[in-house]
Amino acid sequence: MTTQTIDTRKQPLDALNAVYAYLVVAGLVLLLMMLIGLIMRMAQAEWFALDPGLFYILMTMHGAGMVGIAAVGGSAIMWHFVRRYVRVSTGAFLANLALFLLGALCILGAGFVGGFAAGWTFLFPLPAISGDAWSINAAAAYLVGLLFIGIGFLLFYLDVARGIIASYGSLANALGVKQVFGLAPEKDGPPAAVTASSMVLIVNTLGLIFGAAVLVLSLVNLYVPSFAIDPLVAKNMIYFFGHVFINATIYMAVIAVYEILPIYAHHAWRTNRVFYLGWISSTVMVLIAYPHHLLMDFVMPTWVLILGQIISWCSGLPVALVTAFGTLTVVYRSGIKWDTASGLLFAGMLAWITGGIPGIMDSTIPINGVMHNTLWVPGHFHTYLLGMMAMLLGFATFVTKERSSASDYGAAPIGFWLYVIGSVVFVMAFLAGGSASVPRRFAVHLPEWLPYDRLGALGGTLIVSGTLILVLVALLRIYWDLHTPAERR
Amino acid sequence: MQDTVWIVTVVLMASAAGIFLWVATTAENGAEDSGPLVASLYRLRPWLFALALVVIIVSNYKALTALPYVSRPGIGPVQAVNVLGEQWSWTITPDHVEAGRPVEFHVSSKDVNHGFAIYDERLRIVAQTQAMPHYVNVLRYTFTEPGTYRILCLEYCGSNHHAMATEITVVAAGVQPGEAR
């Protein structure tokens, strides 16, 4: 095993530019998708009229776009840090981005040209049975777009896996299995970024294989309807893929917390036996918690649904007692000087923990019976994903600040507070709406539900404003870095 | 149940936020040597783990005693209701049941996935299950209050999903639909 560190602060320009390319794409798509989300929330609040058909197209684009861009942003963080410890290919990294853009074009075309609106989860057989709202070709364009994106990520993960195995001998070693079983000293354990990357690439490779399989099956079904899939099997495959893929985004983003927060706090992150055990258990639990999406499918084997509930509760343990606890101990009485980047990373960690609470509640079977597919669910995952995006924005702020002395003219802290306050208002409106049984994915809301929508739209406006500032600051710094001669920096 | 879940969730989220805020606001006053402080925090972790384990075991045990999948004896004979969803309407036969007697909804779909959710007159969900093609989900529920209950689709099913709604009538025991309650 080698623990040789590659100093990427002296990294070749192509590697840094590759990360910048990811950040530019992530920033712009994030803003676009947030705007689409805000339009939907404002339409539900009846601040303006929106055709329901267009609402569902926007909903599909928002879902697919946000999941995709969360993965793109998470990959940028993971690649930036893991390459300090292992050799990875910039070509594979950029190929992933190119395939993402190609896939995104297909998806946008499917939605805005073809009218495809089956939701990002494309639950079988909805893509093929649209009630004349979209064509088979539009559905195919969407599914092919997702396939392109999946292939790109598979390529990316396989390349990182190759690099990690080359340096550490096996993924088990990179997860710290030897340290857990006392076969090697803790001090020789892999860095946090390597362990987290290994976990992510294991779960996501499996998730992407299942996702690709159900995409291909759905594609064939579009043109050969007699080639039917069992809808329950398709649902299991889709939710396995979707659950793993979206969860992996925050497990990638948290690498930024591991790597950057200790720099601010002047306090190293402790990677000990408990840390590795936490990540190994997360690897297993992320893979087997997905049945909590199927708790209202009563024909599922009951033991699978019970397993989904219990694993969902247990999956909070490593997050709370390893990562959140570690974050608090790193910061506690450290003398840290807060700025926008460190604040966003810390707030992102808090959102991960707080977002897990309504998620665990909803994974409890009797509660799911009255909360499933209400606004409670987007309340849970928006808390979680706003945390993930806070980590991404914190990473972008840190990396661009590290490289550029361009001032933000005091704008970044304003962006931070707009983002944080907006997030609290936005997600609490979702959760309150969910507790009042307001359904999710409804283009038209009853008058009784409007107060939740209006509060949510207000929170969403603050989030979009804050994100706009934070993204603009990062983009301007990237521009400054790329266009300023070294001697003037 | 929804109100309890909401209150517990808000209290837990606020507690987590409180801890993070306290650590963040006191962090700038760095200790001379934070090593012993951090070590004492780590001694706390096994106790937190034990506490979390107790909460998980107790909560899950309690939840597993109230699964909606298990048939429980009710008062009086079961009333069977067939429910078929299709884009974008429900066919419910019969569309009225008696309060106080268990109802078994046999729920399926003619085309895509739908969600069969029963809303009471306060617009709160009282029970739900998925309506899937090729499968029949059996939802058991006993209405305690007579009234008009709304049925909404809770699984996105296409461009008119929000309009896929109907009603069922729950009458007091021994009362025919249309009679005064």
Side-chain angles (χ1 to χ4, degrees), chain A residues 166-224:
Chain A
S167 292
Y168 291 88
S170 71
L171 293 176
N173 289 345
L175 280 172
V177 170
K178 282 185 177 173
Q179 280 68 30
V180 169
F181 288 106
L183 302 172
E186 284 183 342
K187 66 178 175 56
D188 293 340
V194 170
T195 301
S197 301
S198 303
M199 176 271 187
V200 167
L201 70 88
I202 290 169
V203 299
N204 247 354
T205 301
L206 289 168
L208 286 165
I209 289 169
F210 275 88
V214 74
L215 280 168
V216 171
L217 291 170
S218 299
L219 259 173
V220 175
N221 172 263
L222 286 177
Y223 295 102
V224 188

Side-chain angles (χ1 to χ4, degrees), chain A residues 52-53 56 59 117-119 123-126 129-131 133-134 230-232 235 239 267 270 272 274 295-299 302 305-306 309-310 313-314 317 321-322 324-329 331-338 346 349-350 353-355 357-358 361 364-374 376 383 428 431-432 435-444 446 448-449, chain B residues 1-3 5-6 8-10 12-14 16-32 34-35 37-39 41-42 44-45 48-49 52-53 55-56 59-64 66-70 87-88 111-114 119 122-130 132-140 150 152-163:
Chain A
Y56 292 123
M59 183 188 82
L123 270 190
F124 179 84
L126 185 56
I129 304 176
S130 70
W134 60 84
D230 182 302
L232 190 60
K235 210 179 211 182
Y239 280 127
H267 190 296
R270 282 171 59 155
N272 52 19
V274 174
L295 299 179
M296 290 300 106
D297 288 283
F298 292 10
V299 285
T302 303
L305 302 179
I306 291 173
Q309 174 187 301
I310 295 172
W313 275 75
C314 293
L317 283 175
L321 294 176
V322 174
F325 191 85
T327 303
L328 291 172
T329 54
V331 170
Y332 182 66
R333 301 290 299 275
S334 62
I336 190 171
K337 298 292 174 219
W338 292 108
F346 194 73
M349 196 58 237
L350 170 61
I353 279 292
T354 50
I357 293 164
M361 290 289 173
T364 312
I365 296 166
I367 296 174
N368 193 262
V370 293
M371 292 296 202
H372 183 65
N373 278 348
T374 67
W376 189 267
T383 313
M428 293 319 282
L431 292 173
S435 69
S437 298
V438 183
R440 68 187 288 207
R441 294 177 173 148
F442 262 41
V444 182
L446 295 173
E448 292 89 336
W449 300 336
Chain B
M1 181 192 287
Q2 287 96 324
D3 291 339
V5 173
W6 162 251
V8 171
T9 301
V10 169
L12 290 175
M13 290 173 87
I19 293 169
F20 268 69
L21 272 176
W22 174 70
V23 170
T25 51
T26 55
E28 290 202 2
N29 308 319
E32 287 276 315
S34 63
L37 279 171
V38 171
L41 285 178
Y42 271 94
L44 196 65
R45 188 156 68 171
L48 290 174
F49 177 72
L53 219 51
V55 171
I56 288 173
S59 306
N60 277 268
Y61 176 77
K62 194 160 169 49
L64 295 180
L67 293 183
Y69 320 127
V70 183
Q87 288 171 327
W88 290 277
D111 42 37
V112 300
N113 288 275
H114 301 281
Y119 279 70
R122 294 164 52 233
L123 272 179
R124 292 294 177 100
I125 296 172
V126 296
Q128 68 168 307
T129 189
Q130 290 272 295
M132 284 192 77
H134 307 311
Y135 287 93
V136 178
N137 284 320
V138 179
L139 171 66
R140 299 176 181 92
R150 286 193 218 200
L152 298 184
C153 178
L154 281 202
E155 188 62 71
Y156 175 64
C157 59
S159 57
N160 216 18
H161 162 61
H162 55 278

Side-chain angles (χ1 to χ4, degrees), chain A residues 85-109:
Chain A
Y85 311 104
V86 304
R87 297 205 178 275
V88 284
S89 154
T90 306
F93 184 56
L94 286 174
N96 180 29
L97 188 63
L99 281 163
F100 172 82
L101 290 171
L102 184 61
L105 269 182
C106 293
I107 290 170
L108 289 170

